[in-house]
């Protein structure tokens, strides 16, 4: 009798979510004006324009930004804006 071999499916990342400004603001703890100020200084991820009146941020990019800022504050006084 031949044994069945379990085939492992490759790990797939869940699809990236697109976040509205209110969700981005809540997650990073900054107001909308500060987020756009940081974007203009190239210190925060730029949004995607999904229509002429709507912008959305990659959840992965926002989470990566949070991790980068958090890692930079380990005992240092670092200005990120």
């Amino acid at each position: 009798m031949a044994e069945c071999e379990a085939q492992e499916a490759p790990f797939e990342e869940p699809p990236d979510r697109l976040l509205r400004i209110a969700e981005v603001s809540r997650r990073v703890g900054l107001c909308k004006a500060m987020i756009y100020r940081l974007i203009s200084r190239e210190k925060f991820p730029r949004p995607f324009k999904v229509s002429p009146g709507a912008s959305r941020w990659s959840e992965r990019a926002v989470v990566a930004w949070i991790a980068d800022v958090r890692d930079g504050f380990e005992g240092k006084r670092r200005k990120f804006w």
Side-chain angles (χ1 to χ4, degrees), residues 7-23:
Q7 291 184 358
E8 293 183 28
F11 176 74
E12 291 185 27
E13 288 188 38
D16 194 14
R17 292 182 55 225
L18 295 178
L19 307 175
R20 293 175 180 228
I21 185 66
E23 176 70 10

Side-chain angles (χ1 to χ4, degrees), residues 19-51:
L19 307 175
R20 293 175 180 228
I21 185 66
E23 176 70 10
V24 173
S25 178
R26 185 186 68 73
R27 286 191 182 199
V28 301
L30 299 171
C31 70
K32 179 180 172 179
M34 179 57 76
I35 290 170
Y36 279 105
R37 194 171 305 132
L38 291 173
I39 290 169
S40 72
R41 295 177 183 166
E42 299 182 2
K43 303 282 186 184
F44 195 83
R46 290 194 169 279
F48 296 99
K49 291 296 279 180
V50 294
S51 73

